[in-house]
Amino acid sequence: MASFLGLFGRVDVSLTFARDHVLPGESLHVIIGVESKAHRACSGLVLTLSGVETVSGEARPIVHEVRRLDGRPLQSNRKEVFQATFPIPADAPPTYASARSRIAYEVVAEVRVARAFDRRVTRPLTVGTRPPARARGTAGRGESSKSDA
């Protein structure tokens, strides 16, 4: 049994973002760490960014972007790092949840590894709200507007 477990040893996958939240129109930088307990070949990764708006049980896609990354050999007990970038649409609504509606985003990483079970890791993403643009020449809260006279 030990040789069987050694052949199909564990592969650990971590999925992180360069920033905890993003704003519409920005880019999301994704970092994937893959570590194997034995030498193996990683044949590739598939990363998916998806955003869905659900109202009263009816879902409407907001964004669905896929990135395919080439694999590389995995050394025993050494972390290999893969990276990808996704654009967040400029008109993407912010993450939101209520009793009847929800706007949610997530990134899914699927790692394909020879002689091991493929791994799938999911992480939610928070999309924030961009502050409204102020009109030129208007003063913000607490600021005074002076004219040249």
Side-chain angles (χ1 to χ4, degrees):
M1 186 70 154
S3 62
F4 177 78
L5 290 176
L7 180 63
F8 295 101
R10 198 166 93 192
V11 174
D12 293 322
V13 177
S14 62
L15 174 60
T16 58
F17 304 142
R19 294 183 26 226
D20 289 335
H21 71 281
V22 293
L23 298 176
E26 293 183 339
S27 292
L28 171 67
H29 187 72
V30 180
I31 304 156
I32 307 94
V34 181
E35 184 175 355
S36 176
K37 303 304 178 196
H39 294 287
R40 325 191 174 287
C42 172
S43 60
L45 291 83
V46 178
L47 301 172
T48 306
L49 165 67
S50 61
V52 177
E53 178 180 27
T54 306
V55 178
S56 299
E58 191 172 319
R60 179 186 69 84
I62 297 169
V63 62
H64 184 85
E65 293 272 339
V66 177
R67 299 285 182 271
R68 297 182 192 286
L69 305 177
D70 293 333
R72 63 179 84 122
L74 301 176
Q75 302 299 318
S76 179
N77 295 316
R78 183 173 149 198
K79 184 183 271 189
E80 291 290 333
V81 177
F82 299 84
Q83 300 183 43
T85 302
F86 290 97
I88 303 300
D91 61 348
T95 303
Y96 172 80
S98 73
R100 297 194 55 189
S101 64
R102 181 178 97 132
I103 298 172
Y105 299 87
E106 70 179 10
V107 174
V108 176
E110 297 178 48
V111 181
R112 300 205 165 77
V113 181
R115 299 186 326 269
F117 295 109
D118 292 345
R119 293 295 311 265
R120 181 183 171 111
V121 178
T122 303
R123 180 159 181 212
L125 170 67
T126 300
V127 174
T129 305
R130 237 184 224 295
R134 293 192 318 200
R136 279 184 164 233
T138 60
R141 186 181 292 175
E143 298 174 4
S144 63
S145 180
K146 295 182 181 179
S147 62
D148 294 331

